């Protein structure tokens, strides 16, 4: 069985349950497609595409309710995923121990998002990936084990960089291994994407990354959901390396068409639309940016109302509100309402249950919230004269949506 992608279905505001499984499959080089309430194949953007596997978390496999037996639960979930393929089940099953024993869900989440350059924080995450990589020595080689090892080494290098230490693993070697793995298992795209990401993080190979992203795009099937992420990576390359706004915006727009619920893609699209609107004085792009930033806000409203936002979502929520404040600044009432929402973000963060659920420690959760509020500089937007407004969605007919 070729398992290149998996659709994980969950209920609204189940970010913790989703992440527990999603981070594992991503580390195995399996592209994860999240859908809320129904299978991805039933969504319009799927274009009839059926992922290789489906894991439904809506009724069973509830991690938050089974943390005492998480290994047993994960093994049961793998049985659903592997559908009797013993070889696949054996290889993925051997990685579950490594993933859970080293708390890699938390390590991945914290590696992806830093509130402050805290060396102790970085050191702890680094130890998790180092121990995980060492554990792989005992496992039989295979596509998923090999990819898992590549990811660990890449993250170890990245974390050492944050601590101002030299890389342990040569980037050229890692890129070469990723490409070789892609050539060996030609139905997969993740190896080429990883090669591009590794190249992105090394000044010596920075301009090569687009080659690998293009290769991944060519390997992927026409309706494959991974193409959205590949387009996103290509957009980042055009934006950051080539400084080519036209091609970057084109890539982000294509990525958004394929994945309209992805808030990071939508933010990038809106950001470049606004940039283009300001630089070229093209009002059409400015208006598109306003609509997109508002749509991004709407994407997060259910999680806002249910107090279940990840730290990275909270950062994008803050960035989005700041951009809405900027674009509506000429309309005082709109700007005042957005400013009030920015000022209320500390209440949103302090009420967010994600921290409590993940850390299972009141003091640790409190410290994380404090670091996040400082990092986002929310207090700078406090305005005692702003009207007090709810943090739920702004109706399109309200003054605050006037474009």
């Amino acid at each position: 069985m070729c398992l290149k992608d998996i659709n994980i279905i969950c209920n609204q505001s189940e970010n913790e349950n989703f992440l527990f499984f999603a981070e594992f499959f991503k580390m195995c080089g399996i592209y994860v497609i999240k859908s809320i309430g129904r299978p991805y194949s039933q969504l319009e953007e799927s274009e009839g595409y059926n992922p290789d596997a489906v894991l439904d978390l809506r009724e069973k496999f509830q991690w938050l309710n089974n943390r005492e037996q998480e290994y047993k639960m994960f093994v049961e979930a793998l049985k659903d995923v592997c559908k009797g393929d013993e070889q696949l089940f054996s290889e993925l099953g051997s990685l579950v121990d490594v993933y859970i024993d080293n708390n890699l869900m938390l390590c991945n989440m914290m590696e992806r998002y830093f509130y402050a350059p805290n060396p102790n924080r970085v050191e702890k995450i680094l130890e998790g990936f180092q121990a995980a990589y060492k554990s792989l020595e005992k496992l039989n080689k295979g596509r998923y084990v090999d990819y898992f090892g590549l990811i660990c080494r890449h993250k170890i290098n990245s974390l050492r960089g944050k601590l101002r230490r030299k890389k342990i693993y040569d980037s050229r070697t890692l890129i070469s291994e990723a490409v070789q793995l892609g050539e060996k298992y030609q139905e997969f795209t993740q190896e080429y994407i990883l090669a591009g990401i590794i190249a992105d993080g090394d000044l010596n190979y920075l301009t090569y990354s687009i080659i690998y992203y293009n290769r991944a795009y060519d390997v992927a099937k026409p309706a494959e959901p991974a193409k959205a992420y590949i387009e996103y990576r290509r957009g980042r390359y055009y934006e950051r390396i080539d400084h080519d706004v036209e091609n970057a915006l084109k890539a982000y727009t294509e990525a958004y068409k394929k994945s309209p619920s992805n808030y990071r893609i939508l933010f990038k699209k809106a950001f470049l639309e606004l940039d283009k609107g300001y630089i070229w004085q093209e009002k059409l792009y400015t208006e598109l940016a306003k609509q997109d930033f508002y749509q991004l806000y709407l994407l997060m409203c259910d999680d806002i109302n249910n107090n279940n936002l990840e730290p990275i979502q909270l950062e994008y929520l803050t960035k989005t509100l700041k951009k809405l404040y900027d674009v509506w600044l000429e309309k005082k009432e709109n700007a005042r309402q957005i400013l009030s929402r920015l000022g209320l973000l500390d209440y949103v963060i302090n009420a967010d249950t994600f921290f409590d659920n993940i850390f299972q420690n009141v003091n640790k959760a409190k410290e994380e919230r404090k670091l996040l509020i400082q990092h986002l500089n929310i207090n700078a937007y406090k305005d005692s004269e702003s009207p007090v407004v709810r943090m739920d969605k702004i109706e399109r007919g309200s003054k605050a949506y006037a474009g």
Side-chain angles (χ1 to χ4, degrees):
M1 177 181 177
C2 170
L3 186 54
K4 64 180 179 296
D5 53 26
I6 183 170
N7 174 206
I8 299 181
I9 311 169
C10 58
N11 294 312
Q12 187 68 55
S13 299
E14 284 190 339
N15 285 322
E16 303 91 348
N17 290 333
F18 170 78
L19 283 174
F20 177 66
F21 290 98
E23 295 298 338
F24 171 80
F25 289 111
K26 286 192 286 185
M27 287 203 72
C28 294
I30 299 165
Y31 187 75
V32 176
I33 308 151
K34 181 180 183 180
S35 62
I36 307 295
R38 54 180 173 153
Y40 173 76
S41 58
Q42 294 179 9
L43 302 179
E44 185 177 348
E45 64 261 27
S46 73
E47 299 179 10
Y49 181 85
N50 285 297
D52 290 334
V54 175
L55 179 61
D56 195 336
L57 308 181
R58 288 174 291 180
E59 294 183 5
K60 52 182 181 176
F61 309 131
Q62 293 286 303
W63 175 64
L64 285 181
N65 300 328
N66 293 279
R67 291 182 75 154
E68 299 294 324
Q69 296 182 312
E70 57 187 7
Y71 176 77
K72 181 180 179 181
M73 179 187 64
F74 212 124
V75 170
E76 290 300 315
L78 277 185
K79 289 178 181 177
D80 272 18
V81 169
C82 296
K83 302 294 184 186
D85 188 323
E86 290 299 326
Q87 184 177 346
L88 178 63
F89 177 76
S90 176
E91 185 174 352
L92 292 179
S94 70
L95 291 167
V96 171
D97 274 333
V98 178
Y99 176 74
I100 291 177
D101 290 349
N102 296 289
N103 203 5
L104 293 188
M105 184 196 78
L106 183 62
C107 287
N108 275 301
M109 189 198 80
M110 295 180 76
E111 183 267 341
R112 188 164 54 241
Y113 187 82
F114 289 92
Y115 315 112
N118 185 320
N120 292 331
R121 181 191 185 88
V122 180
E123 195 77 58
K124 185 174 181 181
I125 304 167
L126 175 60
E127 289 172 2
F129 286 113
Q130 287 174 330
Y133 182 61
K134 186 172 179 60
S135 298
L136 297 179
E137 297 174 357
K138 306 171 187 176
L139 305 184
N140 295 325
K141 295 290 184 181
R143 187 265 168 181
Y144 304 101
V145 170
D146 289 345
Y147 188 97
F148 204 102
L150 272 171
I151 278 285
C152 284
R153 282 180 283 166
H154 165 61
K155 289 182 181 288
I156 289 168
N157 275 352
S158 176
L159 290 161
R160 286 181 65 87
K162 295 180 187 297
L163 293 168
R164 300 184 180 276
R165 298 177 192 166
K166 290 183 179 180
K167 294 178 179 178
I168 294 179
Y169 306 105
D170 177 62
S171 293
R172 182 175 181 177
T173 301
L174 295 184
I175 292 168
S176 177
E177 285 186 31
V179 171
Q180 288 174 18
L181 203 57
E183 292 173 350
K184 183 177 180 180
Y185 301 97
Q186 296 183 4
E187 62 269 43
F188 293 94
T189 60
Q190 298 305 297
E191 285 81 358
Y192 296 111
I193 296 173
L194 179 56
I197 291 171
I198 295 168
D200 264 343
D202 191 312
L203 291 175
N204 294 315
Y205 304 102
L206 194 60
T207 55
Y208 290 85
S209 58
I210 191 64
I211 297 171
Y212 308 120
Y213 296 141
N214 288 341
R215 176 60 179 154
Y217 191 86
D218 291 340
V219 169
K221 294 178 181 178
E224 198 169 320
K227 280 202 165 185
Y229 184 63
I230 299 167
E231 285 285 31
Y232 170 74
R233 297 301 310 191
R234 294 207 293 193
R236 286 181 81 254
Y237 177 88
Y238 295 133
E239 179 188 2
R240 294 167 57 247
I241 311 306
D242 276 1
H243 304 289
D244 183 345
V245 174
E246 290 294 334
N247 273 325
L249 182 54
K250 182 180 177 182
Y252 289 142
T253 301
E254 286 301 311
Y256 177 63
K257 287 178 183 177
K258 297 176 187 298
S259 185
S261 61
N262 190 308
Y263 59 90
R264 289 197 227 185
I265 292 173
L266 185 54
F267 183 88
K268 283 289 191 179
K269 177 176 179 284
F271 183 85
L272 286 193
E273 287 168 343
L274 187 61
D275 198 37
K276 188 171 182 178
Y278 283 159
I279 292 173
W280 298 103
Q281 295 296 300
E282 295 186 31
K283 189 175 180 181
L284 171 64
Y285 283 100
T286 306
E287 294 304 313
L288 282 173
K290 290 179 183 179
Q291 293 173 26
D292 282 346
F293 280 125
Y294 175 73
Q295 180 59 32
L296 202 161
Y297 178 73
L298 290 182
L299 283 176
M300 298 187 187
C301 277
D302 285 331
D303 281 344
I304 293 171
N305 294 334
N306 291 315
N307 300 319
N308 191 239
L309 286 162
E310 297 175 56
I312 192 71
Q313 287 178 291
L314 287 162
E315 180 177 26
Y316 273 87
L317 173 61
T318 306
K319 288 179 179 179
T320 298
L321 288 174
K322 287 178 180 180
K323 287 298 178 184
L324 284 173
Y325 177 70
D326 290 340
V327 297
W328 283 336
L329 193 57
E330 74 279 5
K331 298 184 178 181
K332 291 184 178 180
E333 181 58 27
N334 292 0
R336 280 167 61 83
Q337 288 197 36
I338 297 300
L339 183 62
S340 181
R341 284 171 171 79
L342 279 164
L344 287 170
L345 280 174
D346 56 341
Y347 295 103
V348 174
I349 293 170
N350 284 321
D352 199 279
T353 59
F354 182 86
F355 298 92
D356 301 295
N357 291 334
I358 288 292
F359 293 104
Q360 295 284 294
N361 181 295
V362 173
N363 291 331
K364 180 61 178 172
K366 185 177 180 181
E367 178 63 19
E368 291 294 315
R369 291 187 179 101
K370 180 182 177 182
L371 286 170
L372 181 57
I373 289 169
Q374 290 174 349
H375 172 72
L376 298 177
N377 196 25
I378 291 167
N379 290 332
Y381 289 85
K382 289 286 187 184
D383 184 350
S384 60
E385 296 182 2
S386 291
V388 176
V389 295
R390 288 168 53 84
M391 278 299 298
D392 53 7
K393 65 182 179 182
I394 312 163
E395 295 299 329
R396 288 181 180 266
S398 73
K399 293 180 180 178
Y401 182 73

